[in-house]
Amino acid sequence: METKVLSSGIRFSNLPESYIRPESERPRLSEVSACENVPVIDLGSNHRAQVVNQVGLACKHYGFFQVTNHGVSSELVEKMQSVAHEFFDLPLEEKLKLYSDDPSKTMRLSTSFNVNKEKIHNWRDYLRLHCYPLHKYVPEWPSIPSSFKLSVASFLCPFDDALISPANGLTGDDGSGAVYREYTYAEYYKKFWSRNLDQEHCLELFKNH
């Protein structure tokens, strides 16, 4: 049986050539400065304008931030991590029943990002699940391990009409200054998959002109 995934139980003594990136494409860690003051933002705060301002400053000066009081319990996170470990520890034959390199499939086990197009692969396996609406997609989710559907169902994709846009407090009242226009999750999803997982980021399609 051809091994299509990394989580096959095989131990590699050397990194396969197809996973080795040229020097020019590797991160230059020597140029990364240390940061000991990562912004921490409390999403449970009643002062929305202050939170928006904190997010804006964090994105401008750091590029990332940590959030607290986000509503996802530690117990839920632990259950999700546990069932993920259980799934990827399943026998190879069981996992390969779900394998596909067809990006249009709504539930599939695959590896890297786009194995049919990329020249250098990413060292990862993943299980892609469509989540919304749950009643439509849950029946096709893995039934093994038995706790999979119950645990994973707590993590949802946005609903189709969810509006994605810059926070008003970060741009002018009329939206001036925003690099990207607002769009729905359904619109983003459609454009993302219409590109057949091309390497270019489809977010560029939503830039204001």
Side-chain angles (χ1 to χ4, degrees):
M1 179 183 297
E2 180 184 358
T3 301
K4 298 180 179 179
V5 293
L6 293 171
S7 54
S8 61
I10 296 176
R11 292 187 176 275
F12 294 89
S13 57
N14 295 294
L15 190 65
E17 288 290 331
S18 60
Y19 290 91
I20 301 177
R21 296 192 177 278
E23 289 278 356
S24 59
E25 296 182 11
R26 299 177 192 175
R28 296 183 176 86
L29 298 182
S30 60
E31 299 178 7
V32 178
S33 58
C35 176
E36 299 179 353
N37 300 305
V38 175
V40 179
I41 300 175
D42 181 6
L43 297 185
S45 171
N46 293 323
H47 304 288
R48 185 178 184 279
Q50 180 180 349
V51 172
V52 170
N53 184 58
Q54 290 174 337
V55 170
L57 291 175
C59 291
K60 180 178 181 180
H61 297 292
Y62 291 88
F64 54 89
F65 51 88
Q66 179 182 352
V67 296
T68 60
N69 295 318
H70 42 65
V72 182
S73 68
S74 298
E75 180 183 10
L76 193 56
V77 172
E78 290 171 2
K79 285 182 178 179
M80 183 66 188
Q81 292 175 333
S82 176
V83 77
H85 281 294
E86 286 185 63
F87 175 81
F88 284 101
D89 284 342
L90 289 172
L92 179 61
E93 294 77 8
E94 188 67 35
K95 286 184 293 190
L96 288 183
K97 294 176 183 178
L98 307 176
Y99 180 86
S100 174
D101 55 16
D102 179 0
S104 66
K105 283 199 170 184
T106 56
M107 194 283 295
R108 67 188 180 106
L109 172 69
S110 197
T111 190
S112 190
F113 180 70
N114 187 354
V115 291
N116 291 327
K117 288 191 173 185
E118 62 198 12
K119 295 180 180 179
I120 304 296
H121 302 317
N122 296 309
W123 189 268
R124 68 155 188 171
D125 289 342
Y126 65 90
L127 180 66
R128 178 169 181 82
L129 303 170
H130 284 212
C131 305
Y132 190 88
L134 278 176
H135 66 81
K136 178 179 179 180
Y137 294 113
V138 166
E140 67 181 29
W141 288 5
S143 55
I144 303 175
S146 58
S147 60
F148 186 93
K149 293 183 179 181
L150 181 61
S151 298
V152 178
S154 302
F155 289 77
L156 303 178
C157 295
F159 56 90
D160 288 352
D161 293 332
L163 192 63
I164 302 171
S165 65
N168 291 334
L170 302 180
T171 62
D173 293 336
D174 59 353
S176 61
V179 177
Y180 300 96
R181 66 174 176 82
E182 64 180 27
Y183 50 90
T184 64
Y185 176 72
E187 187 180 4
Y188 175 85
Y189 186 86
K190 181 178 180 180
K191 288 184 180 294
F192 180 89
W193 288 109
S194 67
R195 296 165 65 83
N196 196 27
L197 291 184
D198 284 342
Q199 296 292 334
E200 295 80 12
H201 204 300
C202 72
L203 190 60
E204 298 301 305
L205 300 176
F206 298 101
K207 267 190 172 181
N208 283 319
H209 298 291

